[in-house]
Amino acid sequence: LSSTHGGTLLGLSWIGVAYSLTEPLARFWENLGFGVAYVRQSLSYHTGERTCMMIKALKGGPGRNLVEYAVGSYRPRLASLFSFSLRDLPPLLSLRLLGVNRRQTNN
């Protein structure tokens, strides 16, 4: 990897991350502006957790529309999975994945 010194990389409009889904990690990536693009329905054989993929548009890049579409179109599918394969997720993690602000849930 090389430093961009604050500039953007040519041709790069979004970045993504994949990790073993836990509430602290989901909060960390959400606070950095990433949105949920995919949650694996089954548990990983190696970690015992689900894989989560999140994406973020880069500043000044054309990827904002793509990221908004990917996150927005996945949200209804994700919501439907909470009554089936994702029903064992903690409620706060479920709300975080749906993009519900945690502060709003404490009122």
Side-chain angles (χ1 to χ4, degrees), residues 6-9 12-14 56-64:
T8 60
L9 297 174
L12 196 59
S13 59
W14 60 273
K56 176 183 178 179
L58 296 177
K59 291 180 182 176
R64 188 174 62 147

Side-chain angles (χ1 to χ4, degrees), residues 11-66:
L12 196 59
S13 59
W14 60 273
I15 56 174
V17 62
Y19 59 93
S20 292
L21 181 59
T22 63
E23 203 280 330
L25 284 174
R27 181 176 6 132
F28 173 80
W29 290 110
E30 179 188 50
N31 287 341
L32 290 175
F34 286 76
V36 177
Y38 173 78
V39 175
R40 182 177 171 165
Q41 294 182 45
S42 60
L43 298 176
S44 166
Y45 174 77
H46 300 287
T47 65
E49 296 171 335
R50 290 179 169 77
T51 299
C52 181
M53 294 170 54
M54 297 178 84
I55 56 177
K56 176 183 178 179
L58 296 177
K59 291 180 182 176
R64 188 174 62 147
N65 290 339
L66 173 71

